[in-house]
Amino acid sequence: MILDSNLLENLKKSMPSKKEEAWKYTSLTEFKNTAWHFKSDIQTHLTHDQLHQLAQHLPSDFHNVVFVNGDLNQTLSDDLGSDLEIQKVIAEDLVVAENHVEEKVIKFANACLKDKIVIKIPENKIFEKPLHLVFVAIEKVPYFLSQKVEVEVGSRAHLSLLTQSINIDETTQNGFNLNLNLIVKEKAHVKLIQIQNENSKSYHFSQTEIDVLSDAVVMAFTMTVGGLLSRHYMHLNFAGQHADAGVYGLNALNTDQHADHYTFIQHSIGANNSKQVYKSVLAGAAHSVFRGRVRIEQDAQKANSEQLNNNLLLTREAQADSIPQLEIYADDVKAGHGSTVGQLDKDQIFYFLSRGINQYEAVKMLSFGYAQELIFQFENKSIQNWLLKIIHQKLDRMVNNV
């Protein structure tokens, strides 16, 4: 469907502005001024060259499921049988809570939503390979794509879920919204990795909402290397006891890229542990924003929460904003936060220079060492290698221009 121009204009006007506290550091003015096109009913086909280019993003040791302009591509996708379904959206899928932080963005995205992806992992099932969802835009015009994903991981099941959004054409401006709802049942183990790797002209929005039940273990990681502007919202709610959640993020940004992360860790029930670590490597006039909100409810005794945001600036023009928020309504809890903004140590760079390593390689190696710590949180070697390759390529491009 293609939206009526008047409806589109009204939707744009209703988008958030910097007057709203949650969007204080992120402007959508240029996004609103773009003449966006929306999904039509015409099936899009990839050329041979596009198929070859896209295949390079599909590791053989992953279960790859590829969506091109919102449509499942059977040629590039692995068959997952009944574990994955494509369903039409119903009225209930479009309901958004009025007090939702991302209410306006989601309503805009829902206006062009047609399908939803539903993944149900049965209890006790263990996925040996990571499940890799790839969302590709190939339109030649400014194109806004919205995807909704619902995932339910059964009790004692194990799943590594990876999502990646990319462009085939590096010259086209695209907009992308991913709305992901994840339920992690009792004693399940889930690793969620989201990669934003779109071109330097694109806009990316994501809303990830996770419910964690008793004795479950969740690791969530967001890596942002592409896009002109990206906004990532993460809400993780503890709905049971004795669960553990690690929420991590890594930005590698240069030129005028802007990435805004808003995390909301909600301890609705006590005796749970949460940890947040977000890092940024910034060059050019890049700008990162981290707003980390932790809320420990009155009955959530014995909750334990840590939060850390570190930012490495490679240029004077780069900028980082960090806004920690702790809302504690229980007495017997542990909670803390920290934030740093700094540059590379000149003595460390001198050390490399004194041993015959040029400044370019020194900066690259130090930046890579700073970033890779988060990647090694994941023990799976195929995931590690995939993430390290992406961040290595991005840092190589960044340091070349420092």
Side-chain angles (χ1 to χ4, degrees), residues 208-225:
T208 303
E209 306 195 47
I210 307 174
D211 284 324
V212 185
L213 277 66
S214 296
D215 299 298
V217 178
V218 175
M219 290 180 64
F221 177 61
T222 303
M223 186 160 76
T224 304
V225 296

Side-chain angles (χ1 to χ4, degrees), residues 128-143:
E128 299 295 341
K129 287 184 177 183
L131 175 56
H132 184 206
L133 306 182
V134 185
F135 303 103
V136 188
I138 62 171
E139 291 289 339
K140 298 295 184 182
V141 296
Y143 176 63

